[in-house]
Amino acid sequence: MDLAFQGLFIMLQVAWAVPLGIMIGMAIGAMPGLNSSGMLAVLLPMLILLPPEVGLIFTISLYAGGEVGNSFPSIILNIPGNASSAVTATEGAPMMMRGEGGRALGLSVMASTLGAFGAGIMTLAATPFLSSVALKFSSVEICIVILFGLTAIAQISSGGLAKGLMAGFAGLLLATVGTDPMWGTFRGTMGYVYLYDGIPIVPALIGLLAFSEVLRMLTQDMSGVMLKNQVRFRFADLMAGAREVLRMPVVVGRSGITGLIVGIIPGAGTSVATFLAYQQVIAAATPEQKKQIGNGSPEGLVAADCSNNAAVSGTLVPLLTLGIPGSAAAAVMLVIMAYHNLELGPRLFSINGDIAYAVLWSQLFAGALIFVMGSFLAMFAYKLALIPVKILIPIVAMFMIIGSYGANAYVFDIRVMLLFGVIGYLMKLYDYPVVALLLGLILGGLFEGHFNRGLRMGFGSPEIFFTRPIAILLWVLLAMMILGPPLLRMLRNRRRSA
Amino acid sequence: MSLRILGILIVPAIALLFAWFMVMEQHTGRFRASTRNYATGLGVLIAVFAVLSAAGDLLKLLREQRAAAAEVSGAVFTPEMLRLTAFLLATVGFIAALPYFGYLVSFMAYMAAILLVIGYRPYWKLALIAVLVTAFVHVFFVMTFSLPLPRGYLFTGIMGQ
């Protein structure tokens, strides 16, 4: 308890780092095609020179702000900056196009706030317990968790189930390009050294979602601004969207917990959390709500943003308790901790516990600030939609190129963006769900690696996937999630007709 | 009608080609059984659903034959498609030029090309925007965030000095 209060005292002394980190993170995230993970790597030399508590708090605040900021170009321009904002783009952009941009931004900012704040409270209260939960997840359980996200492929079928499944499985096969996770052989690299680590996700994402959108804009009427009905931003709309989130406690609670738990699992990441929470919304949707999925579903948008911000807090748990970074920001924090000779691993809380608690308290503070700062930035970000299309396209193209190049500093990645942009354009033209391909691409590598490791744990037999206690629980949850809502609806309809 | 059929088949054809390439590569190369089986399984699933989705769309097209024929009565090379093609060519040209001419020249030329393609006028504003965007890239990304954009072999030599 003493350590917790000491941590609070330390955090209050350097509390200025939180709003500054959030603002910078939001500003970077709000630039279409950019993401805060890449910027963290660039800022690392500066971050390690700061006192350790300042550097750590600044890093995690920047990451949290970036996750919120990424939502703005996703909603306003349909140009996500990272995988976890792909769902935000899928649901938020249609809302923007029909003049509900203020509402969409309000939903996004409030959902992010509640996700960050709720997860902040839980990590502060239960970090040692949560880390023991993380330790119980082996490759078998992680594989099933990823399967939760992959089942969304069958449900994101805007053009028909066959198209969704084809796109999803193609994404899974695309994810095999690179190095075999078990045997180290190169697959599908065609001799390109740049593909040894697999297809770069960020350029592929920017190409599939953003560049394809620019190509579509080129084939449409380019006079005027993107928002044809020129609905101006109204703060009242943003607040109405924010209040609407408070009327979705089930969606918020479920997504927040999902994001936190998935964030705790090392290597899963915010994108898995987002797709998982989204899949839960799809599974629980009524037939009327299902029609809105992919066309501006408020529940889908709230679930995505709530879970990805909750996952930010979740990634702190394995880092602080086990010394295992579960995200790019956590990896940067690990470098900062090592540089300042902080104890890495389970003894951090006993030796440098005050600093660890200061970081956890900062997330609570960040959660409280996100709404205020996010709403303020949203007002300016909305102006992007009012820029004439003929000026917007070159600017967005520039950001997309920088965003694709910035991840690895390879010109090859810009070619990847171009190729996936053309593929994404053709897919959109003929009603193939791009998000399904993206899902397969992002989750496929994780799934294959964990699946193979799980099989090795079971000495080649898949029986292990059905005999471990947590695995059985996860299968039951998966079955309940897929079959439960339609069964419940069927029972309710029968009772009504009877 | 034939153009529409071609359009319907293009995405499944790309998916099938890719699946065939990956499965063949892993069967003809020295890959372990687990990785071959995984790829084959996915390849078969892609093939099944590609055929199903293409067949579904073609059936739909047959049923709406008259409406579809009216839709494609226009030329392929509409102004919009030409604009799109020119944009893609400009992007390809930019990617090819970037390592040789560096980011300053390449970005300026690319921005100018895009603005020309999308019909932005007058020319002096077009040039100004190209210069301003390039300047923004230089100041914000290169100078502030130290992003190592290529400076171009022609200016720095192959060794980058």
Side-chain angles (χ1 to χ4, degrees):
Chain A
M1 206 52 152
D2 278 343
L3 283 173
F5 282 116
Q6 279 173 32
L8 176 62
F9 184 64
I10 290 173
M11 194 279 292
L12 289 171
Q13 284 181 316
V14 298
W16 57 268
V18 180
L20 184 64
I22 290 175
M23 188 50 93
I24 293 174
M26 276 190 196
I28 292 169
M31 292 191 201
L34 295 183
N35 65 77
S36 54
S37 303
M39 286 300 133
L40 277 172
V42 171
L43 290 172
L44 181 59
M46 181 202 83
L47 292 169
I48 58 175
L49 293 176
L50 297 168
E53 60 276 6
V54 176
L56 292 171
I57 289 172
F58 192 81
T59 303
I60 198 64
S61 302
L62 209 148
Y63 187 45
E67 289 297 323
V68 179
N70 275 326
S71 303
F72 298 150
S74 305
I75 291 168
I76 295 166
L77 299 174
N78 198 12
I79 297 174
N82 62 9
S84 58
S85 51
V87 175
T88 308
T90 304
E91 299 299 349
M95 290 181 76
M96 181 75 186
M97 285 299 120
R98 57 177 189 245
E100 293 175 354
R103 179 186 172 214
L105 289 167
L107 288 168
S108 171
V109 171
M110 182 53 100
S112 301
T113 301
L114 292 176
F117 195 75
I121 291 175
M122 290 182 71
T123 50
L124 191 62
T127 289
F129 166 72
L130 291 171
S131 72
S132 67
V133 169
L135 277 173
K136 290 188 167 44
F137 274 72
S138 70
S139 286
V140 170
E141 287 78 19
I142 295 173
C143 189
I144 303 171
V145 166
I146 295 169
L147 207 55
F148 273 67
L150 286 173
T151 54
I153 288 172
Q155 292 161 317
I156 305 168
S157 306
S158 50
L161 185 62
K163 286 180 169 171
L165 289 172
M166 190 212 86
F169 288 126
L172 285 173
L173 190 60
L174 271 169
T176 63
V177 171
T179 309
D180 186 325
M182 298 309 294
W183 310 109
T185 46
F186 299 130
R187 299 180 297 194
T189 60
M190 294 176 279
Y192 285 110
V193 67
Y194 304 105
L195 289 177
Y196 286 178
D197 286 332
I199 289 175
I201 296 292
V202 171
L205 166 98
I206 292 173
L208 277 172
L209 293 175
F211 197 76
S212 60
E213 200 54 35
V214 168
L215 294 178
R216 271 214 322 187
M217 278 194 239
L218 285 165
T219 57
Q220 288 160 3
D221 175 24
M222 292 183 58
S223 59
V225 301
M226 224 174 106
L227 206 50
K228 295 297 174 205
N229 53 13
Q230 295 201 30
V231 173
R232 297 279 156 181
F233 178 84
R234 293 191 323 145
F235 198 71
D237 292 335
L238 187 141
M239 293 307 291
R243 280 194 298 273
E244 196 177 337
V245 176
L246 300 175
R247 295 193 289 270
M248 299 183 203
V250 173
V251 174
V252 170
R254 191 175 56 206
S255 318
I257 291 170
T258 301
L260 178 65
I261 291 176
V262 173
I264 289 167
I265 303 170
T270 54
S271 50
V272 175
T274 307
F275 286 124
L276 207 59
Y278 188 49
Q279 188 273 339
Q280 290 167 350
V281 163
I282 298 172
T286 60
E288 294 76 33
Q289 284 172 336
K290 270 217 166 94
K291 285 180 200 159
Q292 274 196 304
I293 300 287
N295 294 312
S297 159
E299 289 81 12
L301 179 59
V302 166
D305 284 332
C306 186
S307 65
N308 71 24
N309 277 272
V312 169
S313 290
T315 59
L316 287 176
V317 175
L319 172 71
L320 297 176
T321 58
L322 305 170
I324 302 171
S327 64
V332 169
M333 289 173 74
L334 191 70
V335 170
I336 295 171
M337 288 163 72
Y339 184 83
H340 292 285
N341 294 320
L342 296 180
E343 189 66 26
L344 302 175
R347 292 174 61 202
L348 175 70
F349 275 88
S350 49
I351 295 174
N352 302 113
D354 49 353
I355 293 180
Y357 272 107
V359 175
L360 293 173
W361 278 110
S362 74
Q363 279 306 281
L364 208 60
F365 186 33
L369 285 177
I370 280 172
F371 182 73
V372 172
M373 300 174 79
S375 308
F376 179 71
L377 192 64
M379 285 196 299
F380 295 99
Y382 195 87
K383 291 189 190 305
L384 288 170
L386 302 174
I387 298 173
V389 175
K390 288 186 180 180
I391 295 184
L392 190 67
I393 285 181
I395 294 173
V396 167
M398 180 266 294
F399 275 119
M400 286 190 299
I401 286 167
I402 299 287
S404 305
Y405 180 84
N408 297 312
Y410 296 149
V411 175
F412 182 83
D413 288 354
I414 308 176
R415 290 189 225 165
V416 170
M417 180 205 71
L418 176 63
L419 175 66
F420 276 90
V422 172
I423 293 172
Y425 170 72
L426 290 170
M427 287 178 73
K428 285 180 183 178
L429 200 59
Y430 296 105
D431 279 331
Y432 286 84
V434 168
V435 175
L437 182 79
L438 201 57
L439 244 178
L441 183 60
I442 292 167
L443 299 181
L446 286 171
F447 178 75
E448 190 195 357
H450 287 294
F451 178 65
N452 276 302
R453 273 192 285 279
L455 277 178
R456 290 196 107 187
M457 282 168 64
F459 300 103
S461 166
E463 205 184 307
I464 192 171
F465 288 93
F466 302 98
T467 50
R468 286 172 67 94
I470 298 181
I472 295 171
L473 176 65
L474 289 171
W475 282 121
V476 169
L477 284 172
L478 182 61
M480 278 169 58
M481 203 183 304
I482 294 173
L483 301 171
L487 276 172
L488 280 170
R489 264 196 302 278
M490 206 165 68
L491 285 168
R492 257 186 248 133
N493 290 338
R494 267 200 196 161
R495 266 190 223 143
R496 265 190 226 135
S497 54
Chain B
M1 173 74 139
S2 57
L3 278 167
R4 185 88 180 127
I5 292 172
L6 194 68
I8 285 169
L9 293 176
I10 198 163
V11 173
I14 292 171
L16 281 170
L17 269 169
F18 173 71
W20 177 82
F21 164 72
M22 286 297 283
V23 173
M24 284 299 115
E25 195 214 28
Q26 291 178 48
H27 276 274
T28 55
R30 289 181 191 172
F31 291 96
R32 303 276 182 142
S34 60
T35 188
R36 278 201 315 261
N37 294 341
Y38 184 75
T40 306
L42 286 174
V44 166
L45 285 165
I46 291 168
V48 164
F49 291 114
V51 167
L52 281 173
S53 61
D57 279 354
L58 287 170
L59 274 170
K60 203 169 142 191
L61 177 64
L62 276 173
R63 271 187 236 126
E64 296 163 4
Q65 200 169 346
R66 277 185 195 167
E71 228 178 275
V72 294
S73 60
V76 174
F77 298 110
T78 57
E80 291 79 26
M81 289 312 292
L82 284 170
R83 189 162 58 203
L84 180 94
T85 311
F87 180 83
L88 285 171
L89 286 172
T91 309
V92 169
F94 167 78
I95 294 170
L98 185 61
Y100 297 97
F101 292 97
Y103 67 95
L104 285 170
V105 172
S106 303
F107 261 111
M108 248 187 288
Y110 181 54
M111 289 294 122
I114 295 177
L115 288 164
L116 262 173
V117 160
I118 60 181
Y120 189 80
R121 300 287 185 272
Y123 292 112
W124 71 266
K125 269 194 189 172
L126 184 155
L128 183 66
I129 291 174
V131 169
L132 285 174
V133 169
T134 308
F136 174 79
V137 167
H138 178 71
V139 170
F140 190 74
F141 293 107
V142 179
M143 287 177 64
T144 310
F145 285 105
S146 306
L147 185 69
L149 284 168
R151 287 182 294 157
Y153 302 139
L154 289 176
F155 298 112
T156 63
I158 292 288
M159 302 306 288
Q161 284 154 15

